[in-house]
PDB file of all heavy atoms in Angstrom:
ATOM      1  N   LEU B  54       9.063  11.381   2.559  1.00  0.00           N
ATOM      2  CA  LEU B  54       8.500  10.826   1.330  1.00  0.00           C
ATOM      3  C   LEU B  54       7.762   9.518   1.603  1.00  0.00           C
ATOM      4  O   LEU B  54       6.690   9.269   1.041  1.00  0.00           O
ATOM      5  CB  LEU B  54       9.609  10.591   0.295  1.00  0.00           C
ATOM      6  CG  LEU B  54      10.229  11.835  -0.332  1.00  0.00           C
ATOM      7  CD1 LEU B  54      11.429  11.459  -1.197  1.00  0.00           C
ATOM      8  CD2 LEU B  54       9.194  12.594  -1.154  1.00  0.00           C
ATOM      9  N   LEU B  55       8.323   8.702   2.490  1.00  0.00           N
ATOM     10  CA  LEU B  55       7.687   7.427   2.854  1.00  0.00           C
ATOM     11  C   LEU B  55       6.353   7.664   3.556  1.00  0.00           C
ATOM     12  O   LEU B  55       5.373   6.956   3.306  1.00  0.00           O
ATOM     13  CB  LEU B  55       8.634   6.622   3.736  1.00  0.00           C
ATOM     14  CG  LEU B  55       8.373   5.123   3.868  1.00  0.00           C
ATOM     15  CD1 LEU B  55       8.344   4.423   2.523  1.00  0.00           C
ATOM     16  CD2 LEU B  55       9.427   4.496   4.764  1.00  0.00           C
ATOM     17  N   LEU B  56       6.299   8.665   4.412  1.00  0.00           N
ATOM     18  CA  LEU B  56       5.054   9.012   5.103  1.00  0.00           C
ATOM     19  C   LEU B  56       3.969   9.439   4.111  1.00  0.00           C
ATOM     20  O   LEU B  56       2.839   8.940   4.158  1.00  0.00           O
ATOM     21  CB  LEU B  56       5.306  10.143   6.100  1.00  0.00           C
ATOM     22  CG  LEU B  56       4.053  10.767   6.736  1.00  0.00           C
ATOM     23  CD1 LEU B  56       3.447   9.822   7.758  1.00  0.00           C
ATOM     24  CD2 LEU B  56       4.377  12.108   7.362  1.00  0.00           C
ATOM     25  N   VAL B  57       4.324  10.345   3.199  1.00  0.00           N
ATOM     26  CA  VAL B  57       3.367  10.833   2.203  1.00  0.00           C
ATOM     27  C   VAL B  57       2.916   9.684   1.303  1.00  0.00           C
ATOM     28  O   VAL B  57       1.720   9.516   1.028  1.00  0.00           O
ATOM     29  CB  VAL B  57       3.973  11.990   1.380  1.00  0.00           C
ATOM     30  CG1 VAL B  57       3.059  12.390   0.228  1.00  0.00           C
ATOM     31  CG2 VAL B  57       4.262  13.182   2.282  1.00  0.00           C
ATOM     32  N   TYR B  58       3.885   8.877   0.860  1.00  0.00           N
ATOM     33  CA  TYR B  58       3.565   7.728   0.016  1.00  0.00           C
ATOM     34  C   TYR B  58       2.640   6.752   0.752  1.00  0.00           C
ATOM     35  O   TYR B  58       1.661   6.264   0.189  1.00  0.00           O
ATOM     36  CB  TYR B  58       4.858   7.022  -0.405  1.00  0.00           C
ATOM     37  CG  TYR B  58       4.632   5.628  -0.928  1.00  0.00           C
ATOM     38  CD1 TYR B  58       4.049   5.415  -2.171  1.00  0.00           C
ATOM     39  CD2 TYR B  58       4.968   4.511  -0.160  1.00  0.00           C
ATOM     40  CE1 TYR B  58       3.819   4.135  -2.639  1.00  0.00           C
ATOM     41  CE2 TYR B  58       4.749   3.236  -0.619  1.00  0.00           C
ATOM     42  CZ  TYR B  58       4.170   3.050  -1.864  1.00  0.00           C
ATOM     43  OH  TYR B  58       3.937   1.786  -2.316  1.00  0.00           O
ATOM     44  N   GLY B  59       2.940   6.462   2.013  1.00  0.00           N
ATOM     45  CA  GLY B  59       2.117   5.543   2.800  1.00  0.00           C
ATOM     46  C   GLY B  59       0.685   6.021   2.918  1.00  0.00           C
ATOM     47  O   GLY B  59      -0.262   5.237   2.806  1.00  0.00           O
ATOM     48  N   TYR B  60       0.527   7.328   3.121  1.00  0.00           N
ATOM     49  CA  TYR B  60      -0.827   7.894   3.212  1.00  0.00           C
ATOM     50  C   TYR B  60      -1.585   7.681   1.905  1.00  0.00           C
ATOM     51  O   TYR B  60      -2.737   7.248   1.901  1.00  0.00           O
ATOM     52  CB  TYR B  60      -0.766   9.389   3.554  1.00  0.00           C
ATOM     53  CG  TYR B  60      -2.121  10.032   3.483  1.00  0.00           C
ATOM     54  CD1 TYR B  60      -3.041   9.854   4.513  1.00  0.00           C
ATOM     55  CD2 TYR B  60      -2.500  10.792   2.381  1.00  0.00           C
ATOM     56  CE1 TYR B  60      -4.304  10.422   4.448  1.00  0.00           C
ATOM     57  CE2 TYR B  60      -3.758  11.365   2.308  1.00  0.00           C
ATOM     58  CZ  TYR B  60      -4.659  11.176   3.341  1.00  0.00           C
ATOM     59  OH  TYR B  60      -5.910  11.725   3.265  1.00  0.00           O
ATOM     60  N   PHE B  61      -0.936   7.987   0.777  1.00  0.00           N
ATOM     61  CA  PHE B  61      -1.619   7.830  -0.501  1.00  0.00           C
ATOM     62  C   PHE B  61      -1.867   6.356  -0.830  1.00  0.00           C
ATOM     63  O   PHE B  61      -2.899   6.017  -1.411  1.00  0.00           O
ATOM     64  CB  PHE B  61      -0.850   8.525  -1.624  1.00  0.00           C
ATOM     65  CG  PHE B  61      -1.043  10.010  -1.620  1.00  0.00           C
ATOM     66  CD1 PHE B  61      -0.019  10.853  -1.239  1.00  0.00           C
ATOM     67  CD2 PHE B  61      -2.265  10.562  -1.956  1.00  0.00           C
ATOM     68  CE1 PHE B  61      -0.203  12.227  -1.209  1.00  0.00           C
ATOM     69  CE2 PHE B  61      -2.465  11.932  -1.930  1.00  0.00           C
ATOM     70  CZ  PHE B  61      -1.435  12.772  -1.557  1.00  0.00           C
ATOM     71  N   LEU B  62      -0.966   5.483  -0.439  1.00  0.00           N
ATOM     72  CA  LEU B  62      -1.164   4.048  -0.655  1.00  0.00           C
ATOM     73  C   LEU B  62      -2.406   3.561   0.090  1.00  0.00           C
ATOM     74  O   LEU B  62      -3.254   2.858  -0.476  1.00  0.00           O
ATOM     75  CB  LEU B  62       0.072   3.265  -0.194  1.00  0.00           C
ATOM     76  CG  LEU B  62       0.005   1.742  -0.360  1.00  0.00           C
ATOM     77  CD1 LEU B  62      -0.079   1.359  -1.832  1.00  0.00           C
ATOM     78  CD2 LEU B  62       1.220   1.089   0.290  1.00  0.00           C
ATOM     79  N   ILE B  63      -2.528   3.949   1.348  1.00  0.00           N
ATOM     80  CA  ILE B  63      -3.695   3.566   2.143  1.00  0.00           C
ATOM     81  C   ILE B  63      -4.972   4.169   1.552  1.00  0.00           C
ATOM     82  O   ILE B  63      -6.007   3.504   1.475  1.00  0.00           O
ATOM     83  CB  ILE B  63      -3.512   4.016   3.614  1.00  0.00           C
ATOM     84  CG1 ILE B  63      -2.429   3.182   4.290  1.00  0.00           C
ATOM     85  CG2 ILE B  63      -4.819   3.907   4.395  1.00  0.00           C
ATOM     86  CD1 ILE B  63      -1.991   3.715   5.642  1.00  0.00           C
ATOM     87  N   SER B  64      -4.881   5.413   1.122  1.00  0.00           N
ATOM     88  CA  SER B  64      -6.084   6.092   0.623  1.00  0.00           C
ATOM     89  C   SER B  64      -6.614   5.470  -0.665  1.00  0.00           C
ATOM     90  O   SER B  64      -7.820   5.501  -0.901  1.00  0.00           O
ATOM     91  CB  SER B  64      -5.835   7.580   0.437  1.00  0.00           C
ATOM     92  OG  SER B  64      -4.931   7.821  -0.610  1.00  0.00           O
ATOM     93  N   VAL B  65      -5.740   4.886  -1.490  1.00  0.00           N
ATOM     94  CA  VAL B  65      -6.228   4.291  -2.749  1.00  0.00           C
ATOM     95  C   VAL B  65      -6.515   2.796  -2.642  1.00  0.00           C
ATOM     96  O   VAL B  65      -7.196   2.246  -3.502  1.00  0.00           O
ATOM     97  CB  VAL B  65      -5.264   4.552  -3.934  1.00  0.00           C
ATOM     98  CG1 VAL B  65      -5.102   6.028  -4.192  1.00  0.00           C
ATOM     99  CG2 VAL B  65      -3.934   3.867  -3.752  1.00  0.00           C
ATOM    100  N   THR B  66      -6.019   2.146  -1.598  1.00  0.00           N
ATOM    101  CA  THR B  66      -6.225   0.697  -1.505  1.00  0.00           C
ATOM    102  C   THR B  66      -7.272   0.295  -0.465  1.00  0.00           C
ATOM    103  O   THR B  66      -7.963  -0.699  -0.643  1.00  0.00           O
ATOM    104  CB  THR B  66      -4.910  -0.030  -1.171  1.00  0.00           C
ATOM    105  OG1 THR B  66      -4.377   0.487   0.052  1.00  0.00           O
ATOM    106  CG2 THR B  66      -3.893   0.125  -2.291  1.00  0.00           C
ATOM    107  N   ILE B  67      -7.384   1.052   0.605  1.00  0.00           N
ATOM    108  CA  ILE B  67      -8.291   0.693   1.696  1.00  0.00           C
ATOM    109  C   ILE B  67      -9.524   1.597   1.747  1.00  0.00           C
ATOM    110  O   ILE B  67     -10.633   1.137   1.991  1.00  0.00           O
ATOM    111  CB  ILE B  67      -7.565   0.761   3.065  1.00  0.00           C
ATOM    112  CG1 ILE B  67      -6.272  -0.051   3.040  1.00  0.00           C
ATOM    113  CG2 ILE B  67      -8.481   0.324   4.191  1.00  0.00           C
ATOM    114  CD1 ILE B  67      -6.433  -1.511   2.726  1.00  0.00           C
TER     115      ILE B  67
END
Side-chain angles (χ1 to χ4, degrees):
L54 289 173
L55 199 56
L56 171 73
V57 173
Y58 163 72
Y60 173 78
F61 283 109
L62 180 64
I63 290 169
S64 68
V65 299
T66 57
I67 308 301

